[in-house]
PDB file of all heavy atoms in Angstrom:
ATOM      1  N   LEU A  84      14.707   9.782  18.103  1.00  0.00           N
ATOM      2  CA  LEU A  84      14.480   9.954  16.718  1.00  0.00           C
ATOM      3  C   LEU A  84      13.145   9.383  16.310  1.00  0.00           C
ATOM      4  O   LEU A  84      12.417   8.582  17.000  1.00  0.00           O
ATOM      5  CB  LEU A  84      15.541   9.443  15.880  1.00  0.00           C
ATOM      6  CG  LEU A  84      16.877   9.972  16.056  1.00  0.00           C
ATOM      7  CD1 LEU A  84      17.912   9.386  15.116  1.00  0.00           C
ATOM      8  CD2 LEU A  84      16.946  11.551  15.849  1.00  0.00           C
ATOM      9  N   SER A  85      12.748   9.773  15.090  1.00  0.00           N
ATOM     10  CA  SER A  85      11.564   9.295  14.420  1.00  0.00           C
ATOM     11  C   SER A  85      11.988   8.130  13.518  1.00  0.00           C
ATOM     12  O   SER A  85      13.050   7.648  13.615  1.00  0.00           O
ATOM     13  CB  SER A  85      10.966  10.468  13.616  1.00  0.00           C
ATOM     14  OG  SER A  85       9.596  10.269  13.354  1.00  0.00           O
ATOM     15  N   LEU A  86      11.103   7.643  12.660  1.00  0.00           N
ATOM     16  CA  LEU A  86      11.382   6.502  11.818  1.00  0.00           C
ATOM     17  C   LEU A  86      11.015   6.889  10.382  1.00  0.00           C
ATOM     18  O   LEU A  86       9.980   7.469  10.218  1.00  0.00           O
ATOM     19  CB  LEU A  86      10.650   5.249  12.173  1.00  0.00           C
ATOM     20  CG  LEU A  86      11.209   4.519  13.471  1.00  0.00           C
ATOM     21  CD1 LEU A  86      10.146   3.482  13.865  1.00  0.00           C
ATOM     22  CD2 LEU A  86      12.494   3.886  13.314  1.00  0.00           C
ATOM     23  N   ASN A  88       9.577   5.666   6.662  1.00  0.00           N
ATOM     24  CA  ASN A  88       8.584   4.669   6.407  1.00  0.00           C
ATOM     25  C   ASN A  88       8.731   3.947   5.045  1.00  0.00           C
ATOM     26  O   ASN A  88       9.239   4.596   4.177  1.00  0.00           O
ATOM     27  CB  ASN A  88       7.073   5.300   6.361  1.00  0.00           C
ATOM     28  CG  ASN A  88       6.778   6.050   7.661  1.00  0.00           C
ATOM     29  OD1 ASN A  88       6.981   5.614   8.658  1.00  0.00           O
ATOM     30  ND2 ASN A  88       5.967   7.214   7.458  1.00  0.00           N
ATOM     31  N   GLU A 116       9.427  -6.074  15.055  1.00  0.00           N
ATOM     32  CA  GLU A 116       8.368  -5.950  16.188  1.00  0.00           C
ATOM     33  C   GLU A 116       7.296  -5.041  15.686  1.00  0.00           C
ATOM     34  O   GLU A 116       7.386  -4.324  14.728  1.00  0.00           O
ATOM     35  CB  GLU A 116       9.207  -5.380  17.475  1.00  0.00           C
ATOM     36  CG  GLU A 116       9.971  -4.101  17.188  1.00  0.00           C
ATOM     37  CD  GLU A 116      10.850  -3.821  18.365  1.00  0.00           C
ATOM     38  OE1 GLU A 116      11.569  -4.921  18.895  1.00  0.00           O
ATOM     39  OE2 GLU A 116      11.177  -2.662  18.564  1.00  0.00           O
ATOM     40  N   PRO A 117       6.161  -5.097  16.460  1.00  0.00           N
ATOM     41  CA  PRO A 117       5.098  -4.162  15.917  1.00  0.00           C
ATOM     42  C   PRO A 117       5.350  -2.851  16.329  1.00  0.00           C
ATOM     43  O   PRO A 117       6.163  -2.401  17.224  1.00  0.00           O
ATOM     44  CB  PRO A 117       3.943  -4.671  16.970  1.00  0.00           C
ATOM     45  CG  PRO A 117       4.645  -5.413  18.058  1.00  0.00           C
ATOM     46  CD  PRO A 117       5.875  -5.965  17.596  1.00  0.00           C
ATOM     47  N   LYS A 118       4.867  -1.858  15.470  1.00  0.00           N
ATOM     48  CA  LYS A 118       4.954  -0.449  15.692  1.00  0.00           C
ATOM     49  C   LYS A 118       3.695  -0.099  16.470  1.00  0.00           C
ATOM     50  O   LYS A 118       2.630   0.091  15.987  1.00  0.00           O
ATOM     51  CB  LYS A 118       4.997   0.262  14.386  1.00  0.00           C
ATOM     52  CG  LYS A 118       5.253   1.745  14.587  1.00  0.00           C
ATOM     53  CD  LYS A 118       5.501   2.478  13.263  1.00  0.00           C
ATOM     54  CE  LYS A 118       5.841   3.811  13.340  1.00  0.00           C
ATOM     55  NZ  LYS A 118       5.041   4.782  13.987  1.00  0.00           N
ATOM     56  N   LEU A 119       3.905   0.172  17.749  1.00  0.00           N
ATOM     57  CA  LEU A 119       2.803   0.507  18.720  1.00  0.00           C
ATOM     58  C   LEU A 119       2.297   1.844  18.475  1.00  0.00           C
ATOM     59  O   LEU A 119       3.069   2.862  18.365  1.00  0.00           O
ATOM     60  CB  LEU A 119       3.242   0.252  20.121  1.00  0.00           C
ATOM     61  CG  LEU A 119       3.874  -1.152  20.401  1.00  0.00           C
ATOM     62  CD1 LEU A 119       5.110  -1.030  21.337  1.00  0.00           C
ATOM     63  CD2 LEU A 119       2.962  -2.115  20.700  1.00  0.00           C
ATOM     64  N   ASP A 120       0.957   1.942  18.456  1.00  0.00           N
ATOM     65  CA  ASP A 120       0.389   3.248  18.138  1.00  0.00           C
ATOM     66  C   ASP A 120       0.128   4.051  19.507  1.00  0.00           C
ATOM     67  O   ASP A 120      -0.997   4.169  19.884  1.00  0.00           O
ATOM     68  CB  ASP A 120      -0.922   3.034  17.282  1.00  0.00           C
ATOM     69  CG  ASP A 120      -1.257   4.385  16.688  1.00  0.00           C
ATOM     70  OD1 ASP A 120      -0.588   5.270  16.747  1.00  0.00           O
ATOM     71  OD2 ASP A 120      -2.464   4.368  16.076  1.00  0.00           O
ATOM     72  N   GLY A 121       1.155   4.663  19.995  1.00  0.00           N
ATOM     73  CA  GLY A 121       0.948   5.485  21.163  1.00  0.00           C
ATOM     74  C   GLY A 121       1.908   6.658  21.136  1.00  0.00           C
ATOM     75  O   GLY A 121       2.151   7.323  19.993  1.00  0.00           O
ATOM     76  N   LEU A 122       2.682   6.908  22.252  1.00  0.00           N
ATOM     77  CA  LEU A 122       3.569   7.888  22.257  1.00  0.00           C
ATOM     78  C   LEU A 122       4.797   7.474  22.783  1.00  0.00           C
ATOM     79  O   LEU A 122       4.893   6.748  23.779  1.00  0.00           O
ATOM     80  CB  LEU A 122       3.170   9.074  23.297  1.00  0.00           C
ATOM     81  CG  LEU A 122       1.887   9.664  23.007  1.00  0.00           C
ATOM     82  CD1 LEU A 122       0.859   9.124  23.834  1.00  0.00           C
ATOM     83  CD2 LEU A 122       2.074  11.277  23.413  1.00  0.00           C
ATOM     84  N   ALA A 123       5.954   8.025  22.214  1.00  0.00           N
ATOM     85  CA  ALA A 123       7.234   7.694  22.621  1.00  0.00           C
ATOM     86  C   ALA A 123       7.510   8.374  23.933  1.00  0.00           C
ATOM     87  O   ALA A 123       7.266   9.420  24.241  1.00  0.00           O
ATOM     88  CB  ALA A 123       8.373   8.075  21.582  1.00  0.00           C
ATOM     89  N   ARG A 139       8.994  12.540  23.947  1.00  0.00           N
ATOM     90  CA  ARG A 139       9.942  12.639  22.892  1.00  0.00           C
ATOM     91  C   ARG A 139      10.294  14.147  22.542  1.00  0.00           C
ATOM     92  O   ARG A 139      11.467  14.471  22.312  1.00  0.00           O
ATOM     93  CB  ARG A 139       9.574  11.885  21.602  1.00  0.00           C
ATOM     94  CG  ARG A 139      10.511  11.882  20.650  1.00  0.00           C
ATOM     95  CD  ARG A 139      10.250  10.979  19.540  1.00  0.00           C
ATOM     96  NE  ARG A 139       9.082  11.514  18.645  1.00  0.00           N
ATOM     97  CZ  ARG A 139       8.718  11.049  17.486  1.00  0.00           C
ATOM     98  NH1 ARG A 139       9.266  10.027  16.888  1.00  0.00           N
ATOM     99  NH2 ARG A 139       7.643  11.633  16.928  1.00  0.00           N
ATOM    100  N   GLY A 172      10.238   3.540  25.062  1.00  0.00           N
ATOM    101  CA  GLY A 172       9.188   2.745  24.560  1.00  0.00           C
ATOM    102  C   GLY A 172       7.851   3.614  24.376  1.00  0.00           C
ATOM    103  O   GLY A 172       8.043   4.744  24.229  1.00  0.00           O
ATOM    104  N   GLU A 173       6.894   2.860  24.195  1.00  0.00           N
ATOM    105  CA  GLU A 173       5.613   3.492  23.738  1.00  0.00           C
ATOM    106  C   GLU A 173       4.501   3.396  24.916  1.00  0.00           C
ATOM    107  O   GLU A 173       4.371   2.378  25.464  1.00  0.00           O
ATOM    108  CB  GLU A 173       4.993   2.812  22.605  1.00  0.00           C
ATOM    109  CG  GLU A 173       4.192   3.607  21.697  1.00  0.00           C
ATOM    110  CD  GLU A 173       4.816   4.502  20.694  1.00  0.00           C
ATOM    111  OE1 GLU A 173       6.042   4.761  20.879  1.00  0.00           O
ATOM    112  OE2 GLU A 173       4.186   5.176  19.848  1.00  0.00           O
ATOM    113  N   TYR A 223      10.873  -0.557  23.991  1.00  0.00           N
ATOM    114  CA  TYR A 223      11.524  -1.055  22.647  1.00  0.00           C
ATOM    115  C   TYR A 223      13.003  -0.387  22.600  1.00  0.00           C
ATOM    116  O   TYR A 223      13.634  -0.456  21.531  1.00  0.00           O
ATOM    117  CB  TYR A 223      10.721  -0.694  21.471  1.00  0.00           C
ATOM    118  CG  TYR A 223      10.309   0.781  21.324  1.00  0.00           C
ATOM    119  CD1 TYR A 223      11.349   1.812  21.229  1.00  0.00           C
ATOM    120  CD2 TYR A 223       9.040   1.237  21.338  1.00  0.00           C
ATOM    121  CE1 TYR A 223      10.812   3.165  21.172  1.00  0.00           C
ATOM    122  CE2 TYR A 223       8.587   2.419  21.251  1.00  0.00           C
ATOM    123  CZ  TYR A 223       9.496   3.470  21.206  1.00  0.00           C
ATOM    124  OH  TYR A 223       9.100   4.687  21.012  1.00  0.00           O
ATOM    125  N   VAL A 297       8.106  -2.401  12.935  1.00  0.00           N
ATOM    126  CA  VAL A 297       9.344  -1.758  12.892  1.00  0.00           C
ATOM    127  C   VAL A 297      10.396  -2.745  12.698  1.00  0.00           C
ATOM    128  O   VAL A 297      10.494  -3.819  13.394  1.00  0.00           O
ATOM    129  CB  VAL A 297       9.679  -0.927  14.279  1.00  0.00           C
ATOM    130  CG1 VAL A 297      10.973  -0.271  14.247  1.00  0.00           C
ATOM    131  CG2 VAL A 297       8.557   0.075  14.552  1.00  0.00           C
ATOM    132  N   LYS A 299      14.523  -3.494  12.526  1.00  0.00           N
ATOM    133  CA  LYS A 299      15.732  -2.786  13.036  1.00  0.00           C
ATOM    134  C   LYS A 299      16.858  -3.715  12.611  1.00  0.00           C
ATOM    135  O   LYS A 299      16.766  -4.962  12.765  1.00  0.00           O
ATOM    136  CB  LYS A 299      15.712  -2.577  14.549  1.00  0.00           C
ATOM    137  CG  LYS A 299      14.608  -1.652  14.924  1.00  0.00           C
ATOM    138  CD  LYS A 299      14.442  -1.706  16.448  1.00  0.00           C
ATOM    139  CE  LYS A 299      13.365  -0.727  16.790  1.00  0.00           C
ATOM    140  NZ  LYS A 299      12.954  -0.840  18.310  1.00  0.00           N
ATOM    141  N   PRO A 316      16.911   7.117  12.340  1.00  0.00           N
ATOM    142  CA  PRO A 316      18.086   6.237  12.224  1.00  0.00           C
ATOM    143  C   PRO A 316      18.084   5.708  10.835  1.00  0.00           C
ATOM    144  O   PRO A 316      17.066   5.427  10.165  1.00  0.00           O
ATOM    145  CB  PRO A 316      17.941   5.256  13.268  1.00  0.00           C
ATOM    146  CG  PRO A 316      16.471   5.205  13.534  1.00  0.00           C
ATOM    147  CD  PRO A 316      15.919   6.575  13.288  1.00  0.00           C
ATOM    148  N   TRP A 318      19.424   2.683  10.415  1.00  0.00           N
ATOM    149  CA  TRP A 318      19.288   1.241  10.653  1.00  0.00           C
ATOM    150  C   TRP A 318      17.994   0.725  10.947  1.00  0.00           C
ATOM    151  O   TRP A 318      17.841  -0.460  11.304  1.00  0.00           O
ATOM    152  CB  TRP A 318      20.287   0.844  11.771  1.00  0.00           C
ATOM    153  CG  TRP A 318      20.280   1.886  12.942  1.00  0.00           C
ATOM    154  CD1 TRP A 318      21.061   2.835  13.218  1.00  0.00           C
ATOM    155  CD2 TRP A 318      19.356   1.738  14.107  1.00  0.00           C
ATOM    156  NE1 TRP A 318      20.646   3.575  14.453  1.00  0.00           N
ATOM    157  CE2 TRP A 318      19.592   2.743  15.010  1.00  0.00           C
ATOM    158  CE3 TRP A 318      18.301   0.679  14.425  1.00  0.00           C
ATOM    159  CZ2 TRP A 318      18.922   2.888  16.259  1.00  0.00           C
ATOM    160  CZ3 TRP A 318      17.700   0.906  15.604  1.00  0.00           C
ATOM    161  CH2 TRP A 318      17.948   1.962  16.500  1.00  0.00           C
ATOM    162  N   ALA A 319      16.876   1.510  10.916  1.00  0.00           N
ATOM    163  CA  ALA A 319      15.603   1.008  11.267  1.00  0.00           C
ATOM    164  C   ALA A 319      14.586   1.686  10.335  1.00  0.00           C
ATOM    165  O   ALA A 319      14.811   2.761   9.766  1.00  0.00           O
ATOM    166  CB  ALA A 319      15.175   1.308  12.653  1.00  0.00           C
ATOM    167  N   ALA A 321      10.103   1.877   9.525  1.00  0.00           N
ATOM    168  CA  ALA A 321       8.726   1.532   9.822  1.00  0.00           C
ATOM    169  C   ALA A 321       8.049   0.990   8.527  1.00  0.00           C
ATOM    170  O   ALA A 321       7.908   1.852   7.594  1.00  0.00           O
ATOM    171  CB  ALA A 321       7.964   2.693  10.453  1.00  0.00           C
TER     172      ALA A 321
HETATM  173  S1  IVH B 701      12.139   2.345  17.542  1.00  0.00           S
HETATM  174  C1  IVH B 701      15.641   5.159  16.987  1.00  0.00           C
HETATM  175  N1  IVH B 701      10.313   0.646  17.781  1.00  0.00           N
HETATM  176  O1  IVH B 701       7.254   5.012  16.193  1.00  0.00           O
HETATM  177  C2  IVH B 701      14.423   4.256  16.776  1.00  0.00           C
HETATM  178  N2  IVH B 701       9.727   2.836  17.679  1.00  0.00           N
HETATM  179  O2  IVH B 701       7.428   6.776  13.914  1.00  0.00           O
HETATM  180  C3  IVH B 701      13.132   4.943  16.981  1.00  0.00           C
HETATM  181  N3  IVH B 701       7.244   3.350  17.811  1.00  0.00           N
HETATM  182  O3  IVH B 701       9.054   7.519  17.694  1.00  0.00           O
HETATM  183  C4  IVH B 701      12.096   4.082  17.715  1.00  0.00           C
HETATM  184  N4  IVH B 701       6.717   1.129  18.093  1.00  0.00           N
HETATM  185  O4  IVH B 701       7.194   6.360  19.135  1.00  0.00           O
HETATM  186  C5  IVH B 701      10.670   1.982  17.685  1.00  0.00           C
HETATM  187  N5  IVH B 701       8.849  -1.037  18.228  1.00  0.00           N
HETATM  188  C6  IVH B 701       9.116   0.286  18.019  1.00  0.00           C
HETATM  189  C7  IVH B 701       8.091   1.318  17.999  1.00  0.00           C
HETATM  190  C8  IVH B 701       8.388   2.560  17.837  1.00  0.00           C
HETATM  191  C9  IVH B 701       6.317   2.393  18.013  1.00  0.00           C
HETATM  192  C10 IVH B 701       7.047   4.716  17.610  1.00  0.00           C
HETATM  193  C11 IVH B 701       8.029   5.544  18.327  1.00  0.00           C
HETATM  194  C12 IVH B 701       8.765   6.283  17.368  1.00  0.00           C
HETATM  195  C13 IVH B 701       7.741   6.392  16.165  1.00  0.00           C
HETATM  196  C14 IVH B 701       8.397   6.639  14.962  1.00  0.00           C
END
Side-chain angles (χ1 to χ4, degrees):
L84 298 179
S85 198
L86 289 168
N88 298 325
E116 52 195 36
K118 184 170 186 304
L119 305 147
D120 195 8
L122 298 98
R139 184 173 70 169
E173 204 82 348
Y223 52 63
V297 181
K299 300 169 181 169
W318 45 265

